[in-house]
Amino acid sequence: MARDSNHDILFEPVKIGPVTAKNRFYQVPHCTGMGYGLPNTVAAMRRIKAEGGWGVVNTEYCSIHPSADDAPYAFCTLWDEDDVACQALMTEGVHEFGALAGVELWHGGSHSPNRLTRMTPLSVSGESLHLTAPIQARAMDKSDSRDLRRWQVDAAKRAKRAGFDLVYVYAGHAYLPFQFLSHRHNQRSDEYGGSLENRARLLREMLEETKEAVGDTMAVAIRLAVDELMGDHGITADGEGREVVEMLAELPDLWDVNVSDVDQDSKSARFSDEGFQEPYTAFVKSLTSKPVVGVGRYTSPDRMAGLVRRGALDLIGAARPSIADQFLPRKVEEGRVQEIRECIGCNICRSGNNEGAPIRCTQNPTMGEEWRRGWHPEVITARGSDAHVLVIGGGPAGLECARAAGQRGYRVTLAEASTALGGRINREATLPGLATWTRVRDWRIGRLHDLANVEIYLDSLLGPDDVAELEADHVICATGANWRRDGVGTATHFGVAGLGDAHVLTPDDILIDGAEPTGQVVIYDDDHYFMAGALAERFAAAGHTVTYVTPAALASSWTEMTNEQHFIQARLIEAGVAIVANRSLAAATGDHVRLGCIFTGREIEQACDTLVLVTSRRSRDTLYQALAASGTKGLQRIGDCEVPGAIVHAVHAGHRAARELDAVIDPDMPFRRDRVTA
Ligand code: ADP
Ligand code: SF4
């Protein structure tokens, strides 16, 4: 299909200092949880973004010196010539497709606990580390700031040897150059402290010296957080953020601007809309003639083109949209906009880095699997036989499995018991702030409709006899899971006494059957992801009196990994939800629950008319077990039917099952390992 002429503006080249980006699609630096430890893995992932049409592809944060060490989180490094060789893997891959490769040189200052290198943590004025740790960050003296500038320049020169086209001076996300800027951190009385001009001195020097060292052939970008979203306590877009841009306006070759810190910058869809950063960053273009890039989880090409046309941005920055669809620019270019796999803003990608593990993505099951499993997001091996594949269940696992098997060319039958495809998504996306999750379902349904070899049957609850009649060669059960009503979860292993006398609801009762709580509502969260917090928010908004109880210290505690926890707890508090932490459910009676302190075991009573149990789930695997017992050939179970998990797990499992049909995979070592070998 021809490209929509409305989008032509996105394919204009943009000059960035001595280099030129072929279009306006700019993959801003983003963490991958891979870092220096997995160089082939990260290089393959970035290379595919270049193949997918991104005009500029950047690294994640790349340490300039061992005193900037973020272990156990994965960061990349440009400390020595071995690092140069590893980074060259990425630049070569990116250059293959005519994209520019950029590197985000980084020093964390008091954000760097240096657990790996055991170097002394550094900071602008001496302070506690950003993360709680029994060591502080010492104040930098003049020789330290000279060293810092030298490290930046030396790393920039290594970046040049590694083949990068663009190099950053990184003053975003509260890292060291930003700490110098910030009146909250900088209490110095020398020429690096006091007035804003003094606080910006280091940044200016780093920019000038980086340009002097490599600026003849490389673009020098600044990444600046122009607003910390904390009013007078921080830098603001109408205060010092603006003044810094005015001061340094023409010095860098490119302005990459955002809000700080990481939690704010990559807010999930539950707490921000597409384009949420524009009100803070839009002023920058009026103060500089240099190109400006900004982010805001942009997935709509109309909106992107509008931003450029309105003069808000020159380059459309994307981290998550480029993770969810590495081929987004190519799809726009080829007029295949409806095929864009839009980011849902769930922040599962962030959880990889936060857990010290490689990135994964709910929408894009191939993310992180490009090198070790050889998965390409657009290309898939043709079918290995003429087999007929039966997929039972049209939730995220079944939809992805049917779609990918269909893409391989298999004859696929997808049977779904209910009258709509989507499974859990149809329920979960009705919770406050989760509407974008429907994109997981809708993208797959769209692709399935393009596949003539996939037949879809709704309203088709299959039993063992139906399955036998269909005579499929592969039978894949993707029949999901149900929430438990016996209280068993992470903290409670044997169930809870008295539940038979209480008015108990599970998320299934509420979201499938439409049950409503009455009276005093107690939500017991022993699941720790989004469900209990989202239900509490919904019930509070509907006027219920809600008490949220959890054995964890925080509400929806695992959402710390998706950078949402802080916002969830704040929202629940504002909504009037009483949060009772560090207590497990000991027993229930008709109108009370007993809650035990997880440290002492001492119990308290809490009035409770409706007890909502969000604890754990049980696979809905009766059909699978019956088919296994009757020796059904080619049988497997995937997604929540195999093991209850998040949507990201279900989509990955569905994709993997389709990829591995008729493939020879060593079950004991199913992928390549990226590691140093002796
Ligand atoms: P997952 O996350 O693993 O995809 P879901 O619970 O979202 O799981 O989806 C499972 C889907 O399977 C649901 O839509 C459910 O209606 C459907 N299903 C369950 N049992 C059967 C069955 N026996 N025949 C057809 N569909 C079924
Ligand atoms: Fe978007 Fe979620 Fe994928 Fe991250 S994991 S890129 S937020 S869909």
Side-chain angles (χ1 to χ4, degrees):
M1 270 171 73
R3 172 169 95 207
D4 182 340
S5 58
N6 236 336
H7 303 151
D8 287 351
I9 198 167
L10 297 171
F11 294 90
E12 293 170 350
V14 180
K15 192 162 162 24
I16 313 174
V19 298
T20 301
K22 66 176 179 179
N23 61 32
R24 298 182 187 271
F25 293 94
Y26 188 103
Q27 180 245 280
V28 290
H30 70 76
C31 317
T32 61
M34 296 167 185
Y36 66 84
L38 300 173
N40 293 294
T41 310
V42 73
M45 184 274 283
R46 303 275 189 211
R47 177 182 173 277
I48 286 183
K49 295 204 192 188
E51 184 186 354
W54 296 89
V56 182
V57 179
N58 282 289
T59 63
E60 61 259 71
Y61 60 154
C62 181
S63 170
I64 57 176
H65 185 263
S67 61
D69 148 33
D70 208 22
Y73 307 107
F75 53 103
C76 64
T77 50
L78 262 175
W79 294 348
D80 57 24
E81 292 307 308
D82 284 343
D83 285 336
V84 170
C86 286
Q87 291 300 335
L89 295 172
M90 178 235 177
T91 61
E92 282 161 16
V94 167
H95 288 158
E96 257 180 70
F97 300 97
L100 299 178
V103 56
E104 184 184 46
L105 297 184
W106 165 78
H107 198 296
S110 58
H111 268 258
S112 300
N114 298 346
R115 296 178 178 109
L116 171 75
T117 63
R118 303 189 72 174
M119 307 280 282
T120 301
L122 299 173
S123 65
V124 55
S125 298
E127 61 182 340
S128 297
L129 283 170
H130 174 74
L131 304 162
T132 315
I135 183 171
Q136 296 184 199
R138 103 166 142 70
M140 291 168 67
D141 59 24
K142 291 259 179 58
S143 73
D144 292 319
S145 35
R146 275 195 299 277
D147 283 344
L148 175 68
R149 286 155 48 198
R150 179 171 55 79
W151 299 335
Q152 166 80 19
V153 165
D154 288 349
K157 289 178 179 166
R158 284 185 210 109
K160 187 171 184 169
R161 290 200 287 282
F164 285 103
D165 309 286
L166 184 149
V167 64
Y168 269 79
V169 175
Y170 185 14
H173 299 133
Y175 292 131
L176 187 53
F178 189 84
Q179 290 157 22
F180 271 78
L181 272 183
S182 158
H183 61 75
R184 215 170 57 256
H185 294 277
N186 187 337
Q187 271 104 46
R188 296 174 76 105
S189 52
D190 62 5
E191 69 269 34
Y192 289 104
S195 68
L196 182 63
E197 198 176 348
N198 280 356
R199 284 181 273 132
R201 186 178 306 279
L202 180 80
L203 195 51
R204 177 186 288 281
E205 289 170 344
M206 289 173 82
L207 282 166
E208 287 170 348
E209 291 164 11
T210 306
K211 282 194 87 166
E212 173 68 28
V214 299
D216 53 340
T217 58
M218 295 176 81
V220 177
I222 183 172
R223 193 174 212 194
L224 180 73
V226 293
D227 204 307
E228 295 181 271
L229 304 183
M230 53 171 73
D232 292 344
H233 295 296
I235 281 180
T236 57
D238 54 4
E240 291 191 338
R242 185 183 180 93
E243 287 173 51
V244 176
V245 179
E246 274 168 348
M247 231 177 248
L248 304 175
E250 298 301 310
L251 196 49
D253 296 315
L254 172 108
W255 283 90
D256 176 347
V257 285
N258 60 1
V259 297
S260 192
D261 59 4
V262 177
D263 285 9
Q264 298 284 5
D265 188 24
S266 55
K267 260 188 181 166
S268 70
R270 197 167 162 187
F271 299 97
S272 67
D273 293 326
E274 182 171 351
F276 68 101
Q277 299 210 16
E278 194 184 339
Y280 303 99
T281 57
F283 75 90
V284 177
K285 261 198 67 64
S286 66
L287 300 179
T288 176
S289 67
K290 302 301 169 104
V292 177
V293 58
V295 291
R297 237 179 37 251
Y298 294 112
T299 57
S300 151
D302 288 344
R303 187 150 188 169
M304 295 176 190
L307 283 164
V308 179
R309 232 172 253 123
R310 275 190 286 119
L313 294 174
D314 298 294
L315 293 143
I316 308 301
R320 288 170 289 179
S322 75
I323 294 167
D325 196 338
Q326 287 150 306
F327 271 60
L328 185 151
R330 279 271 289 271
K331 290 176 183 174
V332 180
E333 187 167 24
E334 292 166 8
R336 297 187 289 129
V337 168
Q338 74 289 351
E339 291 180 34
I340 294 173
R341 200 170 40 232
E342 288 183 283
C343 167
I344 68 167
C346 62
N347 278 7
I348 284 292
C349 49
R350 288 224 52 94
S351 74
N353 198 65
N354 290 338
E355 291 187 320
I359 192 168
R360 54 251 178 189
C361 169
T362 300
Q363 271 284 53
N364 178 5
T366 66
M367 174 52 46
E369 303 285 11
E370 298 86 351
W371 184 83
R372 70 173 187 176
R373 284 195 158 100
W375 290 0
H376 189 282
E378 300 295 308
V379 182
I380 194 161
T381 318
R383 69 180 197 266
S385 70
D386 291 336
H388 172 207
V389 180
L390 171 63
V391 180
I392 308 165
L399 282 173
E400 176 60 17
C401 185
R403 186 207 65 77
Q407 190 189 359
R408 290 190 64 188
Y410 284 98
R411 183 186 147 216
V412 179
T413 303
L414 171 61
E416 162 56 43
S418 72
T419 52
L421 294 172
R424 60 187 290 184
I425 292 169
N426 296 341
R427 309 185 282 276
E428 293 172 6
T430 64
L431 290 165
L434 303 187
T436 51
W437 290 20
T438 54
R439 293 172 175 182
V440 175
R441 172 196 70 198
D442 295 344
W443 181 79
R444 289 173 173 80
I445 292 176
R447 305 290 68 68
L448 281 168
H449 285 314
D450 294 341
L451 292 166
N453 49 324
V454 180
E455 282 186 296
I456 299 172
Y457 295 93
L458 297 178
D459 212 357
S460 302
L461 177 70
L462 299 197
D465 294 343
D466 307 305
V467 174
E469 252 173 57
L470 283 161
E471 294 183 336
D473 304 290
H474 297 281
V475 178
I476 300 175
C477 288
T479 48
N482 289 117
W483 287 93
R484 297 177 72 127
R485 57 176 69 247
D486 57 4
V488 171
T490 335
T492 309
H493 300 284
F494 302 111
V496 175
L499 288 179
D501 302 327
H503 177 218
V504 172
L505 294 180
T506 69
D508 290 336
D509 298 330
I510 296 157
L511 299 176
I512 301 176
D513 303 333
E516 281 294 327
T518 50
Q520 285 261 6
V521 182
V522 172
I523 300 184
Y524 180 58
D525 184 5
D526 198 12
D527 164 65
H528 310 289
Y529 188 23
F530 67 93
M531 179 60 79
L535 284 174
E537 192 182 331
R538 174 167 145 177
F539 293 148
H544 292 285
T545 306
V546 182
T547 304
Y548 172 101
V549 180
T550 178
L554 299 168
S556 293
S557 62
W558 188 78
T559 62
E560 280 201 286
M561 298 302 133
T562 54
N563 292 35
E564 293 175 293
Q565 196 284 325
H566 183 90
F567 302 116
I568 291 175
Q569 189 131 358
R571 193 172 270 184
L572 293 184
I573 293 167
E574 294 297 341
V577 173
I579 297 173
V580 179
N582 297 320
R583 289 200 175 267
S584 61
L585 181 62
T589 63
D591 56 3
H592 279 81
V593 284
R594 297 194 64 79
L595 306 173
C597 169
I598 60 159
F599 303 108
T600 66
R602 269 187 219 121
E603 292 181 7
I604 57 169
E605 276 203 344
Q606 163 71 43
C608 172
D609 300 308
T610 304
L611 174 61
V612 180
L613 288 178
V614 184
T615 57
S616 61
R617 286 173 289 157
R618 261 202 193 103
S619 292
R620 207 184 284 129
D621 62 356
T622 325
L623 175 62
Y624 170 83
Q625 297 299 352
L627 294 173
S630 65
T632 304
K633 67 173 176 177
L635 177 68
Q636 58 175 308
R637 55 189 161 168
I638 58 170
D640 293 320
C641 172
E642 182 185 18
V643 59
I647 297 172
V648 63
H649 301 115
V651 172
H652 186 270
H655 191 83
R656 184 175 167 197
R659 287 258 179 191
E660 296 185 352
L661 288 170
D662 297 317
V664 181
I665 309 278
D666 176 357
D668 298 331
M669 195 58 249
F671 48 75
R672 282 202 284 177
R673 295 177 68 194
D674 198 1
R675 58 176 170 163
V676 177
T677 47

